[in-house]
Amino acid sequence: MTVTAGVVAVQGDVAEHADAIQRAAASHGEDADVLEVRKSGVVPDCDILLLPGGESTAISRLLAREGIDEEIRAHVDAGKPVLATCAGLIVASTDANDERVETLDLVDVTVDRNAFGRQVDSFEAPLDVDGLDEPFPSVFIRAPTIADVGPDAEVLASWDGRPVAVRDGPVVGTSFHPELTSDSRIHDLAFFRTERAPV
Ligand code: GLN
């Protein structure tokens, strides 16, 4: 089976995410066609969707300007999976704690942008994630923390006592960058071990 994957290509790590999706698909004997999402009209064709990191203010502005925001909401309403990483999680949250970010209200959490510090404070940590047998090598880059978890969200991993991976229905959000290692288990967890609604 071939899965159509959309990667929001406003900023950041599109090729790395495409690679990770393809590796995760292959491990289930599936193929993935990866489409870059820069304009409206692409998301409705996608089975799965990736919202990468970057700068959350810029990403949210572009999604709203291009009308992609409504398409992403419809994708989730239809029960289709999304993986939102770092700035992508900020955009997907219900509250970014920053009025410059127009959130998509997909993940019932309040985030704190840059709460782990500035660029110099980027770090890698082995993270125990619910659903994974071995720790996941997690790269944090000017990462947000999840300050508050609402009743609809479930914490999948915490670092230093703070939640850094969550699930809300078909949406998985991580404050770290799972595309920056050769380990595709987070993409696998979000996309291939979540029931996918038929297109
Ligand atoms: N600091 C960025 C923001 O707040 C997120 C960083 C990232 O995606 N690596 O939007």
Side-chain angles (χ1 to χ4, degrees), residues 53-56 86-87 90 113-114 141-142 177:
E55 201 56 46
S56 48
C86 203
I90 299 171
R113 296 183 62 200
N114 302 317
I141 304 170
R142 293 202 301 130
H177 285 261

Side-chain angles (χ1 to χ4, degrees), residues 3 6 16 22-23 84 135:
V3 174
E16 289 85 349
Q22 266 149 354
R23 273 184 278 118

